[in-house]
Amino acid sequence: MQNKVLESKKRKVEENKLVKVAVAQGDGIGPEIMQATLNIMQAADAGIEPEFIELGEQVYLAGNSAGIQERAWEVINRNKVIFKAPITTPQGKGFKSLNVTLRKSLGLFSNVRPVNSLHPYVHTHFPKMNVVIIRENEEDLYAGIEHQQTEDVVQCLKLITRPGCERIVRYAFEYAKAYGRRKVTCMVKDNIMKLTDGLFHKVFLEIAQEYPTIQNNSQIIDIGSAKLAAHPEDYDVIVTSNLYGDIISDIAAEIAGSVGMAGSANIGTNVAMFEAIHGSAPDIAGKNIANPSGLINAAVMMLSHLGKLETADKIKNAWLTTIEEGYHTADIYQKDISTQKVSTTQFAEEVIKRLGKTPSFFPKSTLYKGSGSITIPEYKRKQSKKELVGVDVFIDWAGTDPQIIGNDLLEVRVYNLKLKMITNRGVKVFPAGRKETYCTDHWRCRFVSEKAVINQPQPTYKPINYEQVVALLSQLNNDGFDVIKTENLYEFDGKRGFSLGQGE
Ligand code: NAI
Ligand code: MG
């Protein structure tokens, strides 16, 4: 009993503590939905003191290509929590996405997007949908490392790392454990990308072993997203990499009824950022008709992150009650079901009126019961034996007949390196390609040791040293080849760390 009293006193202290939060009002509908949400938090005595920061369109247009002022970083560093309305990234002017910049520079590795349907009050074909998408937030194609290499060819590097995979996969299982969820589904495309998506999947299978009470399964992303769109009620927690997660979380939010409803958390080790999942909706900005629910749900996630669980419940329950009593903004208004079509400000007022009430139709929010805490251990790098066994030299050549470049390169013999094969867009074209294969000006020429035994299916490579590579490059340059880049071929503990060419 004594303990219970102490605990509840401690919780009261947390609940009532005044917490400063960096608040960005955003662009388009941003300021309208932010004001509505701040009003609700204030009426709920949430103990949140906003410290406003400038970021977004105006900052970009004032000539700051990052879209965020220096002072904003200082406020973020001090407060550690950001509450952010959507912003507009000016199109086609070469500005970097501020969202990506914030996520990466603050180490916000996990993007958590719960989406559930509010049938019948919000129209959806999927009354039982209740999914949480946990998306890796820093890596993958969103590393944004792109190059034009030849007249024909541009590339974007897809970077997947073991620490990145371990962190996000563990976060997903820990989240499932903390919030009483039954199953975690991994979505990747490792039938094609065996090394990158293969690593994500491998780490998933390893870590899943540590959570025997939580079911796990894996799906290839294309069929997985199709099934998610058709049977979302079959999913519980989904963990996936950055690009796939970006796409499927929009699909999930859309089929649940409105992009205007879902909030998201971007979680890092030291900083966390909370926002709606939708954008700045310039088409309806300034009209006081936007649905503030996405940002309200983000606020609930933020309050829960700050340990203000009772306040989070209070707001969530008032919001659920408002929805089930039929006070709906235009995006979710239904003639037969809604009581009244309300504006952004009216919606917030209706929520405020219901603070303290609990829904009668929807299950009520019970965050106050607490959840397990989520801890992610430090990454420990394992040391394996790394051996150089060859090099892929990428050459810009305007010809079209692989026999010509192939025979020329066969002549190049430097320090016992020899040409093994040439691919064009990943397909083997030399030796023995097919004449139907279309060739661009981007030729990947694989050189390995003369002593390598390259019979399939198990080629045996031999170690080479980097001086051989340098000598080869120098020779190629002297012979007039336009080398655009190289990739070293390594084995790690005797296992091939590079893909074979298609048809190799
Ligand atoms: P959007 O999400 O802003 O709008 C898509 C559609 O949904 C529009 O018809 C809009 O009216 C509607 N909509 C969105 N939120 C709504 C709400 N709360 N209530 C009622 N209707 C709502 O996506 P769009 O048009 O592709 O992007 C607009 C701008 O937002 C772009 O500059 C984009 O870069 C930016 N954006 C920013 C994000 C962020 O700051 N986190 C995320 C996504 C986009
Ligand atoms: Mg997106």
Side-chain angles (χ1 to χ4, degrees), residues 29 84 86-89 99 259 275 278-284 291:
I29 59 170
K84 175 179 159 294
I87 55 154
T88 302
T89 309
N99 291 317
V259 286
E275 59 183 343
H278 59 75
S280 57
D283 52 339
I284 55 165
N291 188 345

Side-chain angles (χ1 to χ4, degrees), residues 437-448:
T437 306
Y438 181 75
C439 290
T440 67
D441 52 3
H442 190 267
W443 305 82
R444 189 254 309 250
C445 310
R446 178 161 288 178
F447 287 84
V448 296

Side-chain angles (χ1 to χ4, degrees), residues 62-223:
N64 181 327
S65 69
I68 177 166
Q69 285 184 338
E70 262 321 299
R71 196 193 80 88
W73 287 116
E74 186 263 316
V75 176
I76 292 168
N77 291 339
R78 192 151 30 78
N79 294 326
K80 312 269 185 265
V81 173
I82 312 169
F83 189 44
K84 175 179 159 294
I87 55 154
T88 302
T89 309
Q91 291 284 308
K93 300 200 177 119
F95 294 122
K96 279 265 177 198
S97 157
L98 175 61
N99 291 317
V100 176
T101 304
L102 283 170
R103 288 169 191 163
K104 290 205 290 207
S105 30
L106 296 170
L108 308 177
F109 67 90
S110 177
N111 191 326
V112 183
R113 296 180 160 193
V115 184
N116 59 309
S117 57
L118 295 162
H119 175 83
Y121 298 100
V122 176
H123 176 72
T124 168
H125 297 295
F126 308 106
K128 294 201 191 107
M129 172 173 188
N130 182 1
V131 205
V132 181
I133 292 164
I134 297 190
R135 158 188 170 194
E136 197 290 316
N137 220 9
E138 297 180 282
E139 315 194 326
D140 194 4
L141 290 157
Y142 291 39
I145 307 174
E146 296 188 296
H147 300 93
Q148 177 165 8
Q149 295 176 328
T150 67
E151 191 55 40
D152 289 355
V153 178
V154 286
Q155 78 161 19
C156 174
L157 285 187
K158 169 157 169 144
L159 294 180
I160 301 286
T161 72
R162 183 170 260 279
C165 294
E166 285 188 7
R167 254 197 320 198
I168 194 68
V169 169
R170 193 172 291 284
Y171 188 90
F173 279 98
E174 285 286 314
Y175 182 96
K177 202 168 101 184
Y179 290 93
R181 297 217 164 225
R182 295 163 289 109
K183 185 167 85 181
V184 181
T185 302
C186 166
M187 289 196 193
V188 281
K189 186 84 185 172
D190 61 340
N191 53 333
I192 304 292
M193 285 160 280
K194 298 197 164 66
L195 291 186
T196 47
D197 283 27
L199 176 62
F200 194 99
H201 193 190
K202 189 166 144 206
V203 168
F204 177 80
L205 295 174
E206 284 168 17
I207 290 180
Q209 298 293 316
E210 297 175 37
Y211 298 85
T213 56
I214 298 167
Q215 298 168 40
N216 71 81
N217 69 340
S218 310
Q219 288 178 338
I220 299 291
I221 183 69
D222 37 7
I223 189 64

Side-chain angles (χ1 to χ4, degrees), residues 103 113 135 142 246-247 249-250 277:
R103 288 169 191 163
R113 296 180 160 193
R135 158 188 170 194
Y142 291 39
D246 194 0
I247 297 168
S249 54
D250 274 20
I277 76 158

Side-chain angles (χ1 to χ4, degrees), residues 41-68:
M41 283 202 280
Q42 198 184 14
D45 284 328
I48 295 294
E49 189 182 323
E51 205 174 334
F52 292 101
I53 54 175
E54 291 288 322
L55 45 84
E57 195 174 22
Q58 290 316 314
V59 182
Y60 280 117
L61 297 178
N64 181 327
S65 69
I68 177 166

Side-chain angles (χ1 to χ4, degrees), residues 40 56 106-107 121 138 176 236 240 242 251 298 308 329 346:
I40 295 171
L106 296 170
Y121 298 100
E138 297 180 282
D236 195 350
T240 187
N242 206 340
I251 296 177
K308 293 172 176 284
T329 44
Q346 282 167 335

